[in-house]
Amino acid sequence: MELAYTRDDEEFRTRLRSWLAAVLPILPPRPDPLDWPARRAYDMGWQRRLYDAGYAGLHWPQAAGGRGATPVQHLIFLEETEAAGAPYVGAGFVGLLHAGPTIAAEGGPAQRARWLPPILRGEEVWCQGFSEPEAGSDLASLRTRAVRSSDSYVVTGTKIWTSHAEVADWCELLVRTDPEAPRHRGLTWLALPMDAPGVTVRPLRTLAGSQEFAEVFLDEVRVPVGNRVGAENDGWRVTMVTLSFERGTAFAGEVVACRRTLRQLARRAQRDGRWEDPALRRRLGRLNAEFTALWRLVQWNVSEAAHALRHGGSGVPGAGGSVFKLRYSHARQELYETAAAVLGPGSLDLAEEWTRERLSSLSYTIAAGTSQIQHNIVAERVLGLPRGR
């Protein structure tokens, strides 16, 4: 694991801090967190600023339009932007953190040229169309059909928990193209234009009142064959690439945010007189150790992927991402349970950001593969245990 800071790394940190100090004070006010069209505009405006300053796709390969920065510089970027209170990827999450990297790894030259630059410039938003009402954790049992018709696929089915669908331009869509094949081998990964005829989006309201998820209904939607990423019926393998990015590096910035939240909780406990409770101090201390260890695991996973890339590998995060995702999702829930203890009766107030985050944290043991799925991956691919029956 390469964690030593070089002179180039320290110069990169200094330049980044200077840029953040200059640009953050002139940003427009953040929109209402429940107003997703406004949040899309705000998040894409921030992404454009990153692009113009040379910080968009920092860790993406240069061949994909990124900067090709080292893993250490990528982690410095996450640390410094979070410490400065800079915006996160927001509505650009799917495109920047897993659809884009998947296309960079698996797409053809024309696909990379079409889809990657608009993602990096903050011009197009992607959503994820994987889960279905009867195929969530058991993703391979999905039923959305895509029938080849000349130079198009005709797609019919329903997707659910489709992140940012109501403000998205494109959807990374997993469909069944061969119903006779074993369920993992008859799937295909498509890029679906969200304005195509036959696409209906119905927003879903979460427990916290937001609408970042939706149901998507597909009624004989025609998707060009040229929008297929990877070979027909090879979608399961391509999807595992997507999920490797989602589990391996997509939550890295959130670990930094959780460490900041932990420090704020400690200050709040001291201010409100709860610091004298030894049980609370132990909880905060244990969480500090948890998130420090998780950050080291992020560093390990990113370094491992970069090392593989330098030696002819794909640079795609490995099964270690499941180890990280499994522990992070539970640690995040524990963090916001502790926040409730610090807030006391105030933890019931939805106007309190920590309260909304506490409700949101409940989804992390489901999103990007449930904890049960992650346990199976770790058991089989990391520990080498026999597959369950």
Side-chain angles (χ1 to χ4, degrees), residues 220-244:
E220 296 189 349
V221 180
R222 300 190 74 89
V223 179
V225 171
N227 287 19
R228 185 187 69 219
V229 175
E232 184 171 296
N233 298 326
D234 192 31
W236 183 258
R237 185 192 60 80
V238 178
T239 298
M240 291 305 100
V241 172
T242 303
L243 294 178
S244 292

Side-chain angles (χ1 to χ4, degrees), residues 33-34 36 39 88 93 161 163-164 205-213 251 254 257-258 261 325 328-337 339-340 347 349-350 352-368:
L34 302 183
W36 273 101
R39 287 185 63 177
Y88 193 47
F93 177 86
W161 309 124
S163 307
H164 308 317
R205 188 172 297 277
T206 69
L207 186 65
S210 63
Q211 292 184 345
E212 66 263 35
F213 301 113
F251 292 125
E254 297 193 30
C258 285
T261 297
K325 195 272 175 184
Y328 168 72
S329 60
H330 290 273
R332 184 182 177 92
Q333 289 186 3
E334 292 169 13
L335 171 65
Y336 286 103
E337 286 296 321
S347 65
D349 183 3
L350 274 176
E352 177 73 62
E353 181 180 0
W354 285 344
T355 301
R356 297 195 301 271
E357 290 292 342
R358 182 190 180 195
L359 296 177
S360 174
S361 73
L362 300 175
S363 70
Y364 278 72
T365 49
I366 300 172

Side-chain angles (χ1 to χ4, degrees), residues 74 97 241-252 294 297-302 316-325 368 374:
H74 178 210
L97 300 185
V241 172
T242 303
L243 294 178
S244 292
F245 284 113
E246 188 176 21
R247 296 165 183 164
T249 57
F251 292 125
L294 280 166
L297 186 55
V298 167
Q299 294 172 316
W300 174 278
N301 288 336
V302 171
V316 175
S322 288
V323 178
F324 166 79
K325 195 272 175 184
Q374 306 310 319

Side-chain angles (χ1 to χ4, degrees), residues 8-266:
D8 287 343
D9 294 333
E10 294 297 355
E11 290 176 354
F12 172 80
R13 188 191 298 274
T14 299
R15 290 194 302 271
L16 176 59
R17 282 181 177 176
S18 297
W19 181 76
L20 290 169
V23 75
L24 292 182
I26 62 174
L27 290 182
R30 294 179 187 250
D32 184 326
L34 302 183
D35 184 347
W36 273 101
R39 287 185 63 177
R40 171 190 162 126
Y42 183 87
D43 295 341
M44 295 301 98
W46 172 247
Q47 182 61 29
R48 182 68 200 208
R49 289 177 184 271
L50 292 174
Y51 178 83
D52 290 340
Y55 292 117
L58 190 69
H59 59 298
W60 287 21
Q62 291 181 340
R67 183 164 171 170
T70 67
V72 172
Q73 289 176 351
H74 178 210
L75 297 180
I76 288 173
F77 174 82
L78 293 174
E79 288 179 319
E80 293 298 328
T81 51
E82 184 57 44
Y88 193 47
V89 290
F93 177 86
V94 175
L96 286 161
L97 300 185
H98 43 94
T102 300
I103 294 167
E106 298 290 334
Q111 294 174 330
R112 293 195 293 270
R114 166 60 187 88
W115 287 314
L116 298 184
I119 291 174
L120 291 175
R121 292 193 298 260
E123 296 170 354
E124 293 181 344
V125 170
W126 285 65
C127 61
Q128 186 182 78
F130 285 3
S131 295
E132 297 183 4
E134 297 182 13
S137 297
D138 187 13
L139 183 60
S141 66
L142 66 85
R143 299 180 180 179
T144 295
R145 286 290 311 279
V147 179
R148 180 75 177 263
S149 175
S150 185
D151 59 352
S152 297
Y153 291 101
V154 180
V155 182
T156 301
T158 303
K159 296 293 180 177
I160 199 168
W161 309 124
T162 307
S163 307
H164 308 317
E166 63 178 316
V167 295
D169 304 290
W170 293 90
C171 177
E172 50 176 9
L173 186 70
L174 191 61
V175 296
R176 185 166 300 283
T177 42
D178 186 353
E180 304 302 321
R183 60 183 195 156
H184 290 86
R185 298 180 183 175
L187 305 177
T188 299
W189 201 105
L190 300 176
L192 165 72
M194 291 297 288
D195 61 355
V199 177
T200 301
V201 176
R202 181 184 298 167
L204 297 169
R205 188 172 297 277
T206 69
L207 186 65
S210 63
Q211 292 184 345
E212 66 263 35
F213 301 113
E215 286 183 287
V216 177
F217 301 92
L218 306 165
D219 184 11
E220 296 189 349
V221 180
R222 300 190 74 89
V223 179
V225 171
N227 287 19
R228 185 187 69 219
V229 175
E232 184 171 296
N233 298 326
D234 192 31
W236 183 258
R237 185 192 60 80
V238 178
T239 298
M240 291 305 100
V241 172
T242 303
L243 294 178
S244 292
F245 284 113
E246 188 176 21
R247 296 165 183 164
T249 57
F251 292 125
E254 297 193 30
V255 174
V256 181
C258 285
R259 296 175 75 184
R260 181 186 65 178
T261 297
L262 192 58
R263 292 191 294 272
Q264 292 172 337
L265 279 176

